[in-house]
Amino acid sequence: MKKKILLVLMTLTVVLTYSCKKLDVPVESQFVASNFPKTLSDYNASVGAIYSNLSSNFAVPYWRMQELATDEAILPARDGNFDDGGQYRQLHYHTWTSDHPNVTTIWQWAYSGIMTCNRLINITNSFGFTPADKTAKLAEIRGMRALYYFFLMDLYGNVPIITDYPVTGIPATQPRAKVFQFIESELLSIEQQLPAKTNVVASNVLQYGRPTKGMVFALLSKIYLNAAVYTNVPRYPDAVAMADSVMANTNYGLDARYRDIFLPNNGPQIRETIFAIPYDQQIPGNQFTRFGFFYYLVNAYGFNVGLSIAMSTTPEFYNRFNLPGDFRTTTWLSGPQFAPDGNGGFTTQPIYYPNTTTQVVINPVLTLVPPKPMDLGNTLASQSEGVRSIKYYPDPAIIQATRLNGNDVPVLRLADVMLMKAEAILRGAQPTVVNGEMQTPLLLVNRVRARSGAQLATSIDLNGMLDERARELSWEGWRRNDLIRFGQFEVEYPLPNDVLSMDKSTFRRLYPVPTTELKLNGSLIQNPGY
């Protein structure tokens, strides 16, 4: 099933490669009679470039910018190994520069997707579709372009808005509020032309990984919840209204098992997925097991291949997983390790370090060993430091050959929407009735908790809401966004023996415009502070 979806969504095409360089060079068109798509199959392959670009960098460099800059994920060195020029500690300590590799990669990745969308809009207008088909296809492309612009607005703030192809003039920096307005306008204008999630399996398979009404509503709820950050104008009632629009479709629902959302065979059958990025062993990018697992456990989990030993979470973040009965706690590997039961749980069979009778024990504490910065050393004990994640459950069949996960990565899902609504109400919006039910913040939070078997809350406030989002959405790429909205992005939790400290400057709530782009385009303006 996944491979069929990927063949539709992710077909790579040579004609749609893009470089953000030399935007001042006039280009009449990349498409001439010899390479213009002639058949529907040609056209679908061209559209696939939007999605193959999306998957290429979302689950590694984009994810790192959103997570390694927070307490949720950390990639420490081990006696110099995994330092990689200091790029991970620069994210951890908020000392990145405009030359940071992720800063450059993601800027170019997002604009690659945008320029592909702009070209495809031209193609679609000229292809000869019926009016109804052309309207639907243009809505899909514009929806993806809006998503790419959301990533840019959230990370960089003030960015050029480019909608024409070929590009006319030199794209200039636009204020973040104007980018917000553009995204909002685009999403509102295409919602009616997009399909809605149904109870028909075949329809949902075709929609999976593509823009839908649900994606539009969820993304609008996200930008409205963050509107005070993006534009200095709160929009909490609008965030609630958009969340209600998602929940009004009863074909969305919380899946009974939290684990199922992230398994290697996840896909269109997951009820709460609103928008996900499909992955399999043929599409590079999803490497959560490669970087975040613990290689002394590989045999017990059914595979034997070289993995990193570095990425984990911080003790401070892991301490939030403290609710009795909460299954989400088992998505982290901490303490004595036992063999998995094949169903997302564990047996009573201990896992031993190789060639010993000593049980593997993962220590949540990360104790640094100076003078090397953010370095744990490389003894067996230090290798075993740092809680590991198995939220994206290890996929032995795929990792054997490629070290890549086959798990699709959810970008927007129903539980997030429910928590966004709860937070917006706590921030001043009014509770509303959905499907005959008055939804208060406590009701919404407890519905999400109950699905994971966690002890129900008796009350909820904003501080508690941030912890709820941490437990439910860990490693899904939202922690930086959440901490900025809650005013806690600059909170530091020093590690034992730490010789470095975080730069607490608030200007780092935005990443810088990459140096390479500033050199190529004199109309770009660097973000303040850099």
Side-chain angles (χ1 to χ4, degrees), residues 486-507:
F486 278 81
Q488 295 189 29
F489 188 55
E490 294 77 34
V491 175
E492 184 176 21
Y493 301 93
L495 300 174
N497 300 331
D498 211 337
V499 297
L500 300 176
S501 59
M502 176 190 288
D503 181 342
K504 299 180 179 63
S505 304
T506 56
F507 74 77

Side-chain angles (χ1 to χ4, degrees), residues 19 83 135 161 164 224 233 247 277 301 304 350 377 384 389 396 423:
S19 171
D83 184 67
T135 297
I161 300 173
D164 52 350
Y224 290 146
V233 179
M247 290 185 281
I277 301 177
Y301 279 75
N304 185 12
S384 302
S389 173
E423 181 186 332

